[in-house]
Amino acid sequence: MNAKQPAVAVIVLTMNSARHVDECLDSLGRSTYPNLAIWVVDNGSTDRTRELIQPFLPRVRLLPLEKNVGFAPGNNRGMEAALAAGADFVLLLNDDTRIDPDCIAALMEAFASDPDRIGMISPVIAAYDQPARTYVGGKIDPATWGAAEIERPAAGLPPCVDVEYASGCALLVPAAVIRQIGMLDEKLFMYFEDADWCLRCRKAGKRVVVATRGTVLHKGSGGSSGSKSPNAYYYYQRNWVRMVRTYAARGQG
């Protein structure tokens, strides 16, 4: 640990992720950033997930939950623990990712370029099996309030690109911003919680950016909405309605 560098806490939310959680944690162990704490929040796994996490302890701190409380509440429990432990920044990271060794350092370098105005930073998200497919932030359609990630090449872009929202798959947020705007909206459970968080961040006068020098490979990238389970489809559609009710102009819905 290097006390001269801000303390970054990585929150890895997982549930029944025996297929990939160890790869995610192994990649975090190779990070070049010197002041890093890793928290795994387990949403009541019933497979071998917790067994696979054991070899990473105590380097990784495990926060076990009794049941699946959802994406937003689970990440919030991790953020609460990390902030109480003195984290200066929190990085939400999906458990089906592999993060580049220099990614966190690149995110912190991007933040340092405009520390008073940047509120949230995402790396470039690349599809795990097709790393040439890269996603640079997301957009929100003002006509429908649908949210979608933007697939585009990162090569040639400036180090920081302003976006309408950044994916919660990998999202760095300063502790001061979390205290200012609050955590993820737990009523959303899962889906649209990252878009809502980014909208609140921008409403507070902060920038939401993508650091194009950092990359995370994501196994979930490049999928279609048709692959969602009925339960996931329900939350996606329900939360889209909630987004419309919250942010659309009067009469637009």
Side-chain angles (χ1 to χ4, degrees):
M1 303 294 280
N2 186 340
K4 294 182 179 180
Q5 297 287 340
V8 175
V10 184
I11 311 298
V12 179
L13 180 68
T14 189
M15 187 188 75
N16 292 340
S17 300
R19 292 173 298 167
H20 38 239
V21 68
D22 52 344
E23 181 180 10
C24 175
L25 296 179
D26 182 68
S27 70
L28 281 168
R30 301 174 190 273
S31 175
T32 60
Y33 189 76
N35 196 359
L36 199 64
I38 303 168
W39 296 77
V40 176
V41 181
D42 182 66
N43 252 341
S45 289
T46 56
D47 66 354
R48 296 179 57 243
T49 294
R50 294 188 188 180
E51 177 185 339
L52 292 173
I53 295 169
Q54 292 300 313
F56 296 94
L57 304 178
R59 172 75 172 101
V60 169
R61 310 179 195 188
L62 176 61
L63 183 59
L65 303 180
E66 293 183 2
K67 62 178 182 179
N68 177 18
V69 298
F71 182 89
N75 274 302
N76 284 354
R77 301 294 85 77
M79 285 192 280
E80 288 165 356
L83 293 177
D88 299 307
F89 291 80
V90 167
L91 172 63
L92 304 187
L93 185 67
N94 277 19
D95 60 357
D96 60 342
T97 59
R98 188 171 78 221
I99 189 168
D100 282 358
D102 296 328
C103 181
I104 296 175
L107 295 176
M108 295 299 293
E109 183 177 351
F111 174 80
S113 70
D114 191 7
D116 293 330
R117 294 197 302 150
I118 291 178
M120 295 184 174
I121 316 172
S122 172
V124 173
I125 309 296
Y128 186 91
D129 294 326
Q130 303 177 65
R133 294 185 63 184
T134 56
Y135 300 82
V136 182
K139 61 183 178 180
I140 299 172
D141 185 343
T144 65
W145 285 96
E149 293 181 75
I150 301 172
E151 183 175 353
R152 64 185 293 194
L157 294 176
C160 272
V161 176
D162 285 88
V163 295
E164 292 183 356
Y165 89 92
S167 173
C169 164
L171 188 57
L172 181 79
V173 188
V177 171
I178 297 173
R179 296 187 179 102
Q180 179 183 358
I181 70 171
M183 297 187 181
L184 295 166
D185 184 352
E186 298 194 8
K187 295 190 298 294
L188 294 175
F189 193 78
M190 63 179 181
Y191 295 119
F192 286 100
E193 66 291 295
D194 50 1
D196 170 77
W197 210 23
C198 290
L199 285 169
R200 284 190 276 139
C201 181
R202 291 172 56 208
K203 186 176 180 180
K206 298 290 187 179
R207 296 171 62 193
V208 176
V209 304
V210 171
T212 59
R213 303 298 182 260
T215 304
V216 165
L217 295 177
H218 183 208
K219 294 179 182 177
S221 289
S224 66
S225 59
S227 65
K228 289 183 172 64
S229 69
N231 190 51
Y233 186 79
Y234 161 76
Y235 280 111
Y236 186 91
Q237 296 297 332
R238 187 200 70 171
N239 291 347
W240 169 72
V241 172
R242 290 190 172 186
M243 287 285 289
V244 171
R245 288 176 174 172
T246 300
Y247 293 106
R250 185 179 297 274
Q252 184 181 358

